Amino acid sequence: MPIPIASLLLFFLVVAATVPSSRVAAADAAPQPRGFYINCGADKEVQEGSIKWVPDAAFVAVGNASKIDKPNILPVFSTLRHFPDTTARKYCYTIPAVKGSRYLVRTTYFYGGFDGGADPPIFDQIVDGTLWSAVNTTETSRRGMSTYFEMVAQAQGKSMSVCLARRPDTKASPFISTLELVDLEDSMYNTTDFGKYVLTTVARSALGVKGDIVSYPDDQYNRYWAPFTDGNPTVESHSLISPADFWNLPPARALKGGITTSRGKNLTVQWPTLELPLASYYVAFYFQDPRTASPYSWRVFDVAVNGKDFFRGLNASAAGVMVYSNMMQLTGKTEIVLTPNATSPVGPLINAGEIYQIVPVGGRTITRDVVAMDELARSLKNPPPDWAGDPCLPPQNSWTGVNCSPDSPVRVLSLDLRNRTLSGSLPDSIGNMTGMQTIILSCTKLSGPIPDFSSMQNLTALHLDGNQFSGPINPSLGKLINLRELYLNNNNLTGQIPASLLTKPGLVMRIEGNKLD
């Protein structure tokens, strides 16, 4: 499982008061960063510097908004959305995306005792069909702080879903304060196969930097670079730094500082400071020589991580360089050792670093089934509250009434919404779910014509009894070679019964209570 970033990176509620006025002015002049910035539970837009936070009503159909009355908190933390419905398997935000594009997903939580409890609930968060992590903000909440989580993922369709879900130990309503979906460049982190993996942020730091978190507008992608210093000497760069010269486009301000040591000495840095579970990680280090560029001055050293070679003969030029590993096994404490070349006139240095845990994608329901289920959800009035996000995944959080295949490709196999207070109609696209075996929609208030089911050759049972369907019985039903149960009784159907159904062997058909000839 991914490391909960809550225990690693904290965003102080008083951050607005600690930002220098010059940076606030620069932020006001900067354009809105690309993406969606959603203020959960809000009823109006909130402007923070150059970022406009929008209400969440357009992205979520369930949950309740609550206000938090606490002094000295950021406006975006003065509201949240919580989800008290214990019957729902998940509660989802759906955000427009460009298929194949890469995004930074960030969720932020500030409890504030909104429900009168002593401690916040523990619950899960899910992106599309991937179980991301548990959300446990107990410790940060006791210190009056917020907690955030980050993931880099690729959109598999025209939208991305970010969902919360109860766990067996969830005792109160899951909640969320803000949600961000930031559009990244295709070149960023592109050595990762995002069709198979997502990256969850473990640490991202500006080394040798003191003070505030480096973020937007310094980082045009609104990544958070936490300041980090240790007992080693620090140095500040006076050279011009261009983010375009570095892979992953780090902000120049995150590279302005560095951790270094004297000529001829090894530089040892323990970063991040926490112990990592055994897993695969994406690791990136950034280096930039703060001195004026000169052909007679160089800074060359080897880089090792936990005693293993990471990069040999690295030349940290004034223009800067980035080195990475896209699938590195790590566990426990992480020790970075920089060993200088014997002829290097100055000691080694390091300016910034990023570590992400590599997490396999949890899968995705086959696209034709996702599209058909989404259209069905839109055609129904009062669908189950968890009908958003991936209909099948994660398996324990599939949509209410939906059963799916256990293996890839994941298909919808059955639909059972009997005796629910539904209304609306069945869209023609329901017939595209060719893996469907049973459809049980008895005793609801569905109306309209019966669509064409002829593509559902795996269908064995279709129960539409006790509804308000009208028009003729669709003759496509007679083409279903595996159909054994057809319940159409107690509707408003008219016309003749198709001969293909009357002569179909092994079919149990119920048609009473209609106006058939």
Side-chain angles (χ1 to χ4, degrees), residues 50-68:
S50 63
I51 298 179
K52 182 181 293 184
W53 295 83
V54 299
D56 65 348
F59 307 96
V60 65
V62 295
N64 299 336
S66 287
K67 294 184 177 180
I68 296 178

PDB file of all heavy atoms in Angstrom, residues 50-68:
ATOM      1  N   SER A  50      -3.465  33.825  -6.884  1.00  0.00           N
ATOM      2  CA  SER A  50      -3.947  33.745  -8.266  1.00  0.00           C
ATOM      3  C   SER A  50      -4.803  32.517  -8.513  1.00  0.00           C
ATOM      4  O   SER A  50      -5.249  32.282  -9.634  1.00  0.00           O
ATOM      5  CB  SER A  50      -2.753  33.730  -9.226  1.00  0.00           C
ATOM      6  OG  SER A  50      -1.975  32.579  -9.006  1.00  0.00           O
ATOM      7  N   ILE A  51      -5.028  31.705  -7.485  1.00  0.00           N
ATOM      8  CA  ILE A  51      -5.801  30.471  -7.656  1.00  0.00           C
ATOM      9  C   ILE A  51      -7.249  30.711  -7.238  1.00  0.00           C
ATOM     10  O   ILE A  51      -7.522  31.133  -6.117  1.00  0.00           O
ATOM     11  CB  ILE A  51      -5.190  29.311  -6.860  1.00  0.00           C
ATOM     12  CG1 ILE A  51      -3.778  29.008  -7.362  1.00  0.00           C
ATOM     13  CG2 ILE A  51      -6.072  28.073  -6.946  1.00  0.00           C
ATOM     14  CD1 ILE A  51      -3.080  27.885  -6.629  1.00  0.00           C
ATOM     15  N   LYS A  52      -8.143  30.424  -8.149  1.00  0.00           N
ATOM     16  CA  LYS A  52      -9.567  30.562  -7.874  1.00  0.00           C
ATOM     17  C   LYS A  52     -10.131  29.184  -7.543  1.00  0.00           C
ATOM     18  O   LYS A  52     -10.105  28.269  -8.366  1.00  0.00           O
ATOM     19  CB  LYS A  52     -10.300  31.158  -9.076  1.00  0.00           C
ATOM     20  CG  LYS A  52     -11.791  31.377  -8.861  1.00  0.00           C
ATOM     21  CD  LYS A  52     -12.458  31.938 -10.098  1.00  0.00           C
ATOM     22  CE  LYS A  52     -11.956  33.348 -10.381  1.00  0.00           C
ATOM     23  NZ  LYS A  52     -12.674  33.945 -11.544  1.00  0.00           N
ATOM     24  N   TRP A  53     -10.614  29.027  -6.326  1.00  0.00           N
ATOM     25  CA  TRP A  53     -11.193  27.772  -5.867  1.00  0.00           C
ATOM     26  C   TRP A  53     -12.698  27.818  -6.122  1.00  0.00           C
ATOM     27  O   TRP A  53     -13.378  28.764  -5.732  1.00  0.00           O
ATOM     28  CB  TRP A  53     -10.922  27.562  -4.383  1.00  0.00           C
ATOM     29  CG  TRP A  53      -9.471  27.395  -4.072  1.00  0.00           C
ATOM     30  CD1 TRP A  53      -8.544  28.375  -3.893  1.00  0.00           C
ATOM     31  CD2 TRP A  53      -8.779  26.158  -3.907  1.00  0.00           C
ATOM     32  NE1 TRP A  53      -7.312  27.824  -3.619  1.00  0.00           N
ATOM     33  CE2 TRP A  53      -7.426  26.467  -3.628  1.00  0.00           C
ATOM     34  CE3 TRP A  53      -9.161  24.820  -3.959  1.00  0.00           C
ATOM     35  CZ2 TRP A  53      -6.464  25.487  -3.408  1.00  0.00           C
ATOM     36  CZ3 TRP A  53      -8.212  23.837  -3.741  1.00  0.00           C
ATOM     37  CH2 TRP A  53      -6.884  24.173  -3.473  1.00  0.00           C
ATOM     38  N   VAL A  54     -13.208  26.792  -6.777  1.00  0.00           N
ATOM     39  CA  VAL A  54     -14.620  26.782  -7.174  1.00  0.00           C
ATOM     40  C   VAL A  54     -15.406  25.837  -6.261  1.00  0.00           C
ATOM     41  O   VAL A  54     -14.851  24.879  -5.703  1.00  0.00           O
ATOM     42  CB  VAL A  54     -14.781  26.347  -8.642  1.00  0.00           C
ATOM     43  CG1 VAL A  54     -14.047  27.322  -9.555  1.00  0.00           C
ATOM     44  CG2 VAL A  54     -14.273  24.926  -8.864  1.00  0.00           C
ATOM     45  N   PRO A  55     -16.703  26.067  -6.096  1.00  0.00           N
ATOM     46  CA  PRO A  55     -17.535  25.144  -5.310  1.00  0.00           C
ATOM     47  C   PRO A  55     -17.561  23.758  -5.946  1.00  0.00           C
ATOM     48  O   PRO A  55     -17.301  23.590  -7.141  1.00  0.00           O
ATOM     49  CB  PRO A  55     -18.914  25.803  -5.339  1.00  0.00           C
ATOM     50  CG  PRO A  55     -18.655  27.236  -5.662  1.00  0.00           C
ATOM     51  CD  PRO A  55     -17.454  27.250  -6.549  1.00  0.00           C
ATOM     52  N   ASP A  56     -17.911  22.762  -5.151  1.00  0.00           N
ATOM     53  CA  ASP A  56     -17.816  21.372  -5.617  1.00  0.00           C
ATOM     54  C   ASP A  56     -19.118  20.799  -6.152  1.00  0.00           C
ATOM     55  O   ASP A  56     -19.159  19.635  -6.569  1.00  0.00           O
ATOM     56  CB  ASP A  56     -17.293  20.478  -4.501  1.00  0.00           C
ATOM     57  CG  ASP A  56     -18.231  20.382  -3.298  1.00  0.00           C
ATOM     58  OD1 ASP A  56     -19.185  21.192  -3.218  1.00  0.00           O
ATOM     59  OD2 ASP A  56     -18.008  19.522  -2.429  1.00  0.00           O
ATOM     60  N   ALA A  57     -20.186  21.590  -6.175  1.00  0.00           N
ATOM     61  CA  ALA A  57     -21.497  21.036  -6.545  1.00  0.00           C
ATOM     62  C   ALA A  57     -21.515  20.452  -7.948  1.00  0.00           C
ATOM     63  O   ALA A  57     -22.276  19.512  -8.221  1.00  0.00           O
ATOM     64  CB  ALA A  57     -22.571  22.110  -6.413  1.00  0.00           C
ATOM     65  N   ALA A  58     -20.682  20.953  -8.853  1.00  0.00           N
ATOM     66  CA  ALA A  58     -20.687  20.463 -10.236  1.00  0.00           C
ATOM     67  C   ALA A  58     -19.943  19.139 -10.383  1.00  0.00           C
ATOM     68  O   ALA A  58     -20.011  18.521 -11.449  1.00  0.00           O
ATOM     69  CB  ALA A  58     -20.053  21.506 -11.156  1.00  0.00           C
ATOM     70  N   PHE A  59     -19.267  18.691  -9.329  1.00  0.00           N
ATOM     71  CA  PHE A  59     -18.401  17.517  -9.445  1.00  0.00           C
ATOM     72  C   PHE A  59     -18.857  16.334  -8.587  1.00  0.00           C
ATOM     73  O   PHE A  59     -18.316  15.240  -8.715  1.00  0.00           O
ATOM     74  CB  PHE A  59     -16.964  17.882  -9.036  1.00  0.00           C
ATOM     75  CG  PHE A  59     -16.420  19.068  -9.775  1.00  0.00           C
ATOM     76  CD1 PHE A  59     -16.475  20.343  -9.227  1.00  0.00           C
ATOM     77  CD2 PHE A  59     -15.877  18.923 -11.043  1.00  0.00           C
ATOM     78  CE1 PHE A  59     -15.977  21.444  -9.914  1.00  0.00           C
ATOM     79  CE2 PHE A  59     -15.366  20.010 -11.739  1.00  0.00           C
ATOM     80  CZ  PHE A  59     -15.425  21.279 -11.172  1.00  0.00           C
ATOM     81  N   VAL A  60     -19.832  16.541  -7.722  1.00  0.00           N
ATOM     82  CA  VAL A  60     -20.271  15.485  -6.811  1.00  0.00           C
ATOM     83  C   VAL A  60     -21.779  15.596  -6.619  1.00  0.00           C
ATOM     84  O   VAL A  60     -22.334  16.705  -6.605  1.00  0.00           O
ATOM     85  CB  VAL A  60     -19.520  15.584  -5.460  1.00  0.00           C
ATOM     86  CG1 VAL A  60     -19.878  16.870  -4.724  1.00  0.00           C
ATOM     87  CG2 VAL A  60     -19.761  14.357  -4.582  1.00  0.00           C
ATOM     88  N   ALA A  61     -22.445  14.438  -6.501  1.00  0.00           N
ATOM     89  CA  ALA A  61     -23.911  14.440  -6.387  1.00  0.00           C
ATOM     90  C   ALA A  61     -24.393  14.021  -5.006  1.00  0.00           C
ATOM     91  O   ALA A  61     -25.600  13.996  -4.765  1.00  0.00           O
ATOM     92  CB  ALA A  61     -24.514  13.514  -7.443  1.00  0.00           C
ATOM     93  N   VAL A  62     -23.491  13.678  -4.105  1.00  0.00           N
ATOM     94  CA  VAL A  62     -23.885  13.176  -2.789  1.00  0.00           C
ATOM     95  C   VAL A  62     -23.120  13.924  -1.706  1.00  0.00           C
ATOM     96  O   VAL A  62     -22.194  14.681  -1.977  1.00  0.00           O
ATOM     97  CB  VAL A  62     -23.617  11.655  -2.674  1.00  0.00           C
ATOM     98  CG1 VAL A  62     -24.501  10.881  -3.641  1.00  0.00           C
ATOM     99  CG2 VAL A  62     -22.142  11.335  -2.934  1.00  0.00           C
ATOM    100  N   GLY A  63     -23.506  13.677  -0.455  1.00  0.00           N
ATOM    101  CA  GLY A  63     -22.812  14.281   0.675  1.00  0.00           C
ATOM    102  C   GLY A  63     -23.453  15.557   1.148  1.00  0.00           C
ATOM    103  O   GLY A  63     -24.326  16.142   0.485  1.00  0.00           O
ATOM    104  N   ASN A  64     -23.005  16.019   2.314  1.00  0.00           N
ATOM    105  CA  ASN A  64     -23.523  17.224   2.943  1.00  0.00           C
ATOM    106  C   ASN A  64     -22.393  18.225   3.154  1.00  0.00           C
ATOM    107  O   ASN A  64     -21.266  17.845   3.495  1.00  0.00           O
ATOM    108  CB  ASN A  64     -24.158  16.906   4.301  1.00  0.00           C
ATOM    109  CG  ASN A  64     -25.327  15.951   4.178  1.00  0.00           C
ATOM    110  OD1 ASN A  64     -25.961  15.858   3.126  1.00  0.00           O
ATOM    111  ND2 ASN A  64     -25.621  15.232   5.252  1.00  0.00           N
ATOM    112  N   ALA A  65     -22.699  19.500   2.955  1.00  0.00           N
ATOM    113  CA  ALA A  65     -21.724  20.558   3.204  1.00  0.00           C
ATOM    114  C   ALA A  65     -21.788  20.993   4.666  1.00  0.00           C
ATOM    115  O   ALA A  65     -22.862  21.041   5.268  1.00  0.00           O
ATOM    116  CB  ALA A  65     -22.003  21.749   2.290  1.00  0.00           C
ATOM    117  N   SER A  66     -20.608  21.278   5.234  1.00  0.00           N
ATOM    118  CA  SER A  66     -20.529  21.784   6.606  1.00  0.00           C
ATOM    119  C   SER A  66     -19.533  22.932   6.663  1.00  0.00           C
ATOM    120  O   SER A  66     -18.579  22.983   5.879  1.00  0.00           O
ATOM    121  CB  SER A  66     -20.090  20.688   7.581  1.00  0.00           C
ATOM    122  OG  SER A  66     -21.122  19.761   7.810  1.00  0.00           O
ATOM    123  N   LYS A  67     -19.762  23.842   7.610  1.00  0.00           N
ATOM    124  CA  LYS A  67     -18.855  24.960   7.834  1.00  0.00           C
ATOM    125  C   LYS A  67     -18.038  24.714   9.101  1.00  0.00           C
ATOM    126  O   LYS A  67     -18.491  24.051  10.020  1.00  0.00           O
ATOM    127  CB  LYS A  67     -19.639  26.270   7.946  1.00  0.00           C
ATOM    128  CG  LYS A  67     -20.326  26.688   6.655  1.00  0.00           C
ATOM    129  CD  LYS A  67     -21.007  28.042   6.795  1.00  0.00           C
ATOM    130  CE  LYS A  67     -21.629  28.468   5.468  1.00  0.00           C
ATOM    131  NZ  LYS A  67     -22.302  29.794   5.585  1.00  0.00           N
ATOM    132  N   ILE A  68     -16.833  25.259   9.103  1.00  0.00           N
ATOM    133  CA  ILE A  68     -15.945  25.151  10.262  1.00  0.00           C
ATOM    134  C   ILE A  68     -15.659  26.569  10.754  1.00  0.00           C
ATOM    135  O   ILE A  68     -15.142  27.399   9.993  1.00  0.00           O
ATOM    136  CB  ILE A  68     -14.640  24.429   9.903  1.00  0.00           C
ATOM    137  CG1 ILE A  68     -14.953  22.993   9.490  1.00  0.00           C
ATOM    138  CG2 ILE A  68     -13.667  24.455  11.070  1.00  0.00           C
ATOM    139  CD1 ILE A  68     -13.734  22.212   9.059  1.00  0.00           C
TER     140      ILE A  68
END
